[in-house]
Amino acid sequence: MQTGDKFVHTFEVTPLIYERFIEAYADRNPLHVDAEYAKARGFKDIVMFGNILNGFVSYFVGECLPMKNVYILSQSIKFAQPVYMHDTLEFNAEVTDYIEVVKSYGFKFYFKNQAGVKVAKGEIQIGLII
Amino acid sequence: MNYDKILEELNVIFISVLDNDDIKINGNTTAADYEEWDSLNNILLVVAIEKHFKVKITSADFQSWKNVGEMAKTIETRLNQ
């Protein structure tokens, strides 16, 4: 893996992911569970939890890279647009740097939905377990 | 960039990475001075230093540093090469 390498993976926000997220974290903010509340505030339906996308980032690091001896050192994400149930998100990541002395790769990433709208973007720094 | 300016910019990096606004490093500062300066943050510091100063740190550099002053001198040397 080297600077400039690109990765693409597609995720779907399924009811199972949404329900398990609530079960695990007990976040029942009305924006995420009450459709009438969300619609009254300009959204087309309940908004998915932003941190579901962080779970997708975790999957990318743990399962999509060419090596398994990885761990996340830091991660940031900015949410630009709402994500809804059943959205199909295309995750795009690019290796931005490799700091050889500490065996650490940096990535920039973004998610775009099925309409081609960027819904979130961020950065990841991972380390390699040697 | 001279040594003092490098220390000044390193201080900003240390504050950010170690998440401690009270940090005030000098040439004699070591990891023992800040409990937040653990092994993971040590890696993040090197990552931030390479990205900020756009210099390459070698394993020999990394292993030879006994304090922040030696770190700053390495950066100064790389910047002036």
Side-chain angles (χ1 to χ4, degrees), chain A residues 4 14 26 30 32-34 37 39 49 52 63 69 71 74 77 83 88 90-91 107 115 122 127-128:
Chain A
T14 64
H32 302 304
V33 300
D34 184 339
Y37 178 94
K39 288 174 182 174
F49 300 95
I52 287 175
E63 300 290 344
N69 58 327
Y71 63 98
S74 67
I77 189 166
V83 171
T88 299
E90 184 183 277
F91 174 83
F107 297 84
L128 300 183

Side-chain angles (χ1 to χ4, degrees), chain A residues 71 73 97 99 101 104 125, chain B residues 43 46-47 50-51 57-59:
Chain A
Y71 63 98
L73 277 164
D97 53 81
I99 311 297
V101 66
S104 176
Q125 196 74 40
Chain B
I43 294 171
V46 174
V47 169
E50 280 212 9
K51 289 184 179 182
I57 305 299
T58 68
S59 294

Side-chain angles (χ1 to χ4, degrees), chain A residues 10-22:
Chain A
T10 301
F11 296 97
E12 183 185 351
V13 184
T14 64
L16 178 65
I17 292 170
Y18 169 76
E19 288 159 10
R20 291 281 172 83
F21 188 98
I22 292 176

Side-chain angles (χ1 to χ4, degrees), chain A residues 69-126:
Chain A
N69 58 327
V70 294
Y71 63 98
I72 296 175
L73 277 164
S74 67
Q75 181 177 320
S76 65
I77 189 166
K78 292 181 180 176
F79 302 107
Q81 295 292 328
V83 171
Y84 298 102
M85 183 75 78
H86 299 300
D87 273 359
T88 299
L89 303 179
E90 184 183 277
F91 174 83
N92 293 266
E94 179 175 351
V95 180
T96 55
D97 53 81
Y98 176 56
I99 311 297
E100 186 176 5
V101 66
V102 288
K103 309 283 188 256
S104 176
Y105 287 94
F107 297 84
K108 285 185 175 177
F109 70 85
Y110 65 88
F111 288 93
K112 64 180 181 182
N113 65 18
Q114 61 278 4
V117 176
K118 281 188 183 178
V119 296
K121 64 178 181 179
E123 297 178 354
I124 316 162
Q125 196 74 40
I126 68 164

